[in-house]
């Protein structure tokens, strides 16, 4: 009988070892850490890219409106606005082809150099999400739409020469 008790004791210690939680904390930490960390890192990357594009779009609209309002003529203003928008978009990492530009001049829609008028520039773009392959061709875009509107008054004495 003495021998049977030893095997019973050995079985009990084997069960205790299996039921023991020694070493499981590190596995749980790694599992939960990866499950929480990967989406958090992706969220930070996505928000950073979106904010970078928003600042570029806003800067482009603001500088384009100012360039048109201070230009000596309508044509010079449009050329200066085009350069300002292209520089701002290049700094933001956006393609100039992917941005819609709308310029409105008040009171004369075809003459942005009218004294005491107002120039409004609107830029609309879609910021692609990071790590999203462009070849997905999903019906709904894989990006975030951003837009900016800037208005600038034209001087009562007309644009600068």
């Amino acid at each position: 009988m003495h021998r049977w008790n030893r095997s019973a004791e050995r079985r009990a210690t084997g069960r205790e070892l299996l039921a023991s939680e020694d070493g499981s904390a590190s596995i749980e930490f790694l599992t939960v850490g990866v499950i929480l960390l990967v989406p958090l890192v992706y969220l930070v990357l996505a928000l950073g890219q979106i904010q970078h594009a928003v600042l570029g779009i806003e800067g482009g609209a603001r500088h384009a409106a100012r360039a048109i309002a201070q230009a000596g003529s309508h044509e010079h203003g449009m050329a200066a606005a085009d350069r300002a928008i292209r520089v701002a978009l290049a700094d933001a990492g956006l393609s100039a082809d992917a941005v819609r530009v709308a310029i409105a001049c008040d009171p004369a829609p075809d003459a942005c150099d009218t004294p005491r008028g107002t120039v409004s520039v609107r830029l609309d773009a879609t910021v692609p999400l990071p790590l999203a392959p462009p070849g997905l061709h999903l019906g709904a875009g894989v990006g975030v739409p951003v837009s900016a509107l800037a208005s600038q008054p034209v001087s009562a004495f007309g644009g600068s020469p």
Side-chain angles (χ1 to χ4, degrees):
M1 272 220 204
H2 199 344
R3 193 175 211 177
W4 183 78
N5 286 339
R6 283 187 186 170
S7 64
E9 285 177 10
R10 286 185 195 153
R11 279 190 238 144
T13 58
R15 287 185 200 135
E16 287 174 1
L17 286 175
L18 289 176
S20 169
E21 293 188 12
D22 291 342
S24 65
S26 60
I27 294 173
E28 291 171 4
F29 177 75
L30 288 174
T31 304
V32 172
V34 168
I35 289 172
L36 294 177
L37 189 62
V38 170
L40 184 65
V41 168
Y42 183 79
L43 181 67
V44 168
L45 286 174
L47 290 177
Q49 187 167 343
I50 292 167
Q51 183 64 27
H52 185 67
V54 166
L55 292 175
I57 294 283
E58 287 178 350
R62 184 175 56 251
H63 290 301
R66 184 177 298 151
I68 294 170
Q70 293 179 350
S73 69
H74 181 77
E75 293 77 24
H76 286 107
M78 291 299 165
D82 183 55
R83 285 191 305 272
I85 291 170
R86 288 186 185 278
V87 167
L89 294 178
D91 286 345
L94 295 172
S95 169
D97 300 333
V99 178
R100 289 184 311 277
V101 179
I103 299 174
C105 304
D106 189 43
D110 55 345
C112 290
D113 55 350
T114 304
R116 294 190 182 152
T118 303
V119 177
S120 297
V121 177
R122 180 180 178 91
L123 299 178
D124 296 305
T126 300
V127 180
L129 292 176
L131 306 175
L136 283 180
H137 300 296
L138 299 174
V142 184
V144 177
V146 295
S147 64
L149 175 66
S151 297
Q152 184 74 28
V154 179
S155 171
F157 304 106
S160 315

